[in-house]
Amino acid sequence: EPEVTQTPSHQVTQMGQEVILRCVPISNHLYFYWYRQILGQKVEFLVSFYNNEISEKSEIFDDQFSVERPDGSNFTLKIRSTKLEDSAMYFCASSGGLSDQPQHFGDGTRLSIL
Amino acid sequence: GEDVEQSLFLSVREGDSSVINCTYTDSSSTYLYWYKQEPGAGLQLLTYIFSNMDMKQDQRLTVLLNKKDKHLSLRIADTQTGDSAIYFCAESLNYGGSQGNLIFGKGTKLSVKP
């Protein structure tokens, strides 16, 4: 069964450094998402992406975050200048886009900011 | 704003039925989901229900939706030790015929005792 893949599984970065989290969505999906889960808290929506542009973003997704689909398969989340509070599990998801097509999630990238 | 609430823990004996409950606030939700998260793994889609349905059954899983009370439940029949995991309830808001972002509960940790 096709799946969403994320790399790396664990990323350790110094505070202030830039980090790029990578995702390969399911190949025929059209909508792509990033969510994050701070330890012990809810899974929170960050951003959705469709047709090469952001379709929706949350208050969390401020100027330090950006997303890109650099080629036909990858979908990336960049955090420009990481802060301690960016430490979390980051999940990528994709869906076919129609309202009856659910979002499928990757296994997540655990980001640890030191 | 939208909110999804779940009880945090549930403990059952192997072979018993488990019932995990969830309440949500947004009446415009179109789809409601159950995801399963095993330790160190991503979010696995278990099942989902459209908001105009009352019930959906899929093998050992039964989803019940009470739209008036905004209450969703997941029943797992004949619970096995392999069902031990965290179960997340989520709602999605529909816009423009496609899926909006998911709003998650905090998750219910199901422990199955042999």
Side-chain angles (χ1 to χ4, degrees), chain B:
Chain B
E2 306 93 357
D3 197 16
V4 176
E5 295 289 339
Q6 300 177 241
S7 52
L8 295 181
F9 301 100
L10 177 66
S11 181
V12 300
R13 292 218 171 269
E14 192 174 19
D16 288 349
S17 291
S18 308
V19 180
I20 302 171
N21 294 300
C22 168
T23 57
Y24 60 98
T25 56
D26 200 296
S27 57
S28 61
S29 296
T30 53
Y31 281 90
L32 294 132
Y33 301 85
W34 286 103
Y35 285 87
K36 177 183 179 182
Q37 186 180 36
E38 297 184 38
L43 298 167
Q44 175 197 351
L45 176 68
L46 280 181
T47 186
Y48 59 103
I49 188 168
F50 188 47
S51 56
N52 69 354
M53 296 169 65
D54 298 324
M55 186 182 93
K56 181 178 179 182
Q57 186 150 7
D58 184 1
Q59 298 181 347
R60 291 191 298 125
L61 304 178
T62 303
V63 179
L64 294 177
L65 175 60
N66 182 328
K67 198 173 180 183
K68 175 175 165 289
D69 294 339
K70 297 179 188 170
H71 182 266
L72 181 75
S73 68
L74 173 70
R75 179 176 180 270
I76 306 172
D78 187 25
T79 314
Q80 304 297 307
T81 53
D83 294 324
S84 293
I86 299 176
Y87 290 79
F88 291 93
C89 171
E91 62 173 341
S92 87
L93 309 179
N94 189 21
Y95 60 76
S98 64
Q99 274 197 34
N101 55 286
L102 297 179
I103 299 162
F104 283 85
K106 261 193 158 181
T108 299
K109 185 173 182 179
L110 174 65
S111 298
V112 183
K113 297 179 181 175

Side-chain angles (χ1 to χ4, degrees), chain A residues 31 33 35 37 40-45 48 55-56 89 91 95 97-108, chain B residues 3-5 30-31 33 35 37 40-43 45 48 88 92 94-95 97-106:
Chain A
Y31 282 77
Y33 309 82
Y35 293 80
Q37 184 182 29
Q41 297 187 24
K42 292 186 178 185
V43 177
E44 302 171 290
F45 167 74
S48 59
S55 49
E56 193 179 4
M89 182 74 92
F91 291 106
S95 75
L98 298 178
S99 58
D100 62 345
Q101 293 175 309
Q103 295 178 30
H104 293 266
F105 284 75
D107 283 346
Chain B
D3 197 16
V4 176
E5 295 289 339
T30 53
Y31 281 90
Y33 301 85
Y35 285 87
Q37 186 180 36
L43 298 167
L45 176 68
Y48 59 103
F88 291 93
S92 87
N94 189 21
Y95 60 76
S98 64
Q99 274 197 34
N101 55 286
L102 297 179
I103 299 162
F104 283 85
K106 261 193 158 181

Side-chain angles (χ1 to χ4, degrees), chain A residues 15 26-29 35 41 45 50 60 64 68 86-88 93-95 103 107 110:
Chain A
M15 187 173 62
I26 294 172
S27 63
N28 61 347
H29 281 184
Y35 293 80
Q41 297 187 24
F45 167 74
Y50 170 72
I60 304 167
Q64 69 164 333
E68 194 179 23
D86 294 326
S87 295
S94 70
S95 75
Q103 295 178 30
D107 283 346
R110 180 167 298 284

